[in-house]
Amino acid sequence: MLIFDADDTLWENNVIFERVIAEFTGWLAGPGMGRGAVREVLDGIEAANAVTLGYGSKVFLRSLGECAERVRGRAVTAAERARIAGWGAAFEGDRVELIAGVAETLAELAGRHELLLLTKGDREEQQRKVDASGLTGHFQGVHIVPEKNVATYAELTRAYGLAPERTWMIGNSPKSDILPARSAGLNAVFIPHDHTWVLEHEELDPGDEKVLRLGAFGELVRHF
C-alpha cells in the first residue's frame, strides 16, 4: 500500500501562500519592523491557530488579520480588513497545478499497487483540490483529516488492515508525513519541496533505513 500526501507532494500549494506572505510582509514592514520580523510574528500566530483552528486559507487569512493588529498595535481598519480579505482570491478557483511527473507516475504505480490519498486541512477546501486534480481514479480511498499524527496513521492502518512493513507514506513534510508515519510503524518516502511550509519542518534521522529519500516524484517508479 502506498499512501500519498496531497499538498506540495501531488500539486503546488504552499507557494501560493508564500506569494501572499511576501506581499503581506512588504505591506506591514516599516522602519520599526522589517519584513523578517513581521514574518516571525506571523509564523507564531499561525502555529498557535493551527492547534485550535486547523489549516487552510480561511485560517490563514484570520492569521494575517491578527498579525496586522499585533504589528500595528491596534485593531485593523475597514480598509485594512478589506485588503486582507482580498488576498483570499489567491486561493479560489477550481484548478490545481500538478507537480512534474505526478500524473504519469501515479498512473503507472496504480497498475501494480494499491494507493490511498491522505491530506489534512479544511474538508471543503481540500475536497475541491482533490476533485480538480483529476487523480482520484488512482486511489482506493481519499481521506481528509484535521491533523496527521500517529493516531491518524494507526487508525488508517486498522481501517484497511494494512501490514505496516509493506505500507509506505509518501510526502514532503517531515512533521506531518514522515515522523508520525514512522512512529506508527510505517515506512516512509521523503520527497522534499522547495516551498514546504516552515511549520512543517522537522529534523529526520539520517540513519533511519525505513525512510527513502528521493529527489523527484517520478523516481518512485524505480523503487515501487
Side-chain angles (χ1 to χ4, degrees):
M1 177 69 78
L2 304 180
I3 308 172
F4 290 86
D5 168 52
D7 291 340
D8 296 318
T9 296
L10 301 183
W11 52 72
E12 299 290 359
N13 179 67
N14 197 54
V15 66
I16 302 171
F17 287 84
E18 289 296 334
R19 289 169 188 155
V20 172
I21 289 172
E23 294 181 12
F24 175 78
T25 55
W27 172 56
L28 276 187
M33 181 175 287
R35 296 176 68 153
V38 174
R39 178 63 188 262
E40 288 183 10
V41 173
L42 178 61
D43 286 346
I45 291 171
E46 285 200 278
N49 283 344
V51 174
T52 57
L53 302 175
Y55 306 91
S57 62
K58 294 176 184 177
V59 177
F60 173 67
L61 293 174
R62 172 169 174 164
S63 295
L64 294 186
E66 293 179 10
C67 181
E69 290 186 340
R70 190 170 301 179
V71 171
R72 301 286 200 212
R74 56 167 173 75
V76 295
T77 65
E80 290 169 335
R81 190 178 304 111
R83 180 161 186 171
I84 292 169
W87 275 307
F91 308 99
E92 298 173 354
D94 56 358
R95 297 181 62 186
V96 296
E97 179 185 346
L98 297 184
I99 289 174
V102 163
E104 54 268 39
T105 300
L106 284 181
E108 184 170 343
L109 293 175
R112 53 181 182 258
H113 300 290
E114 292 182 312
L115 313 182
L116 293 176
L117 181 61
L118 176 64
T119 181
K120 72 177 183 181
D122 178 82
R123 177 169 293 277
E124 181 179 347
E125 188 168 17
Q126 292 305 100
Q127 187 63 58
R128 176 186 60 77
K129 289 187 282 187
V130 169
D131 293 342
S133 73
L135 301 174
T136 53
H138 297 311
F139 299 106
Q140 181 178 340
V142 174
H143 297 268
I144 300 172
V145 296
E147 187 60 87
K148 289 157 80 171
N149 50 32
V150 178
T152 303
Y153 291 99
E155 175 56 32
L156 205 62
T157 299
R158 287 192 295 269
Y160 283 89
L162 303 178
E165 68 278 5
R166 297 178 60 229
T167 302
W168 297 76
M169 178 60 200
I170 300 160
N172 68 295
S173 167
K175 179 176 181 285
S176 295
D177 301 325
I178 310 303
L179 293 175
R182 290 293 297 120
S183 294
L186 310 184
N187 306 297
V189 181
F190 177 46
I191 307 177
H193 189 289
D194 290 341
H195 297 287
T196 294
W197 189 22
V198 63
L199 298 185
E200 294 292 333
H201 293 186
E202 293 283 355
E203 290 296 322
L204 298 179
D205 179 1
D208 189 347
E209 297 180 352
K210 297 297 181 68
V211 176
L212 176 63
R213 298 165 185 256
L214 301 181
F217 194 89
E219 294 177 21
L220 287 166
V221 297
R222 303 177 191 171
H223 300 273
F224 300 97

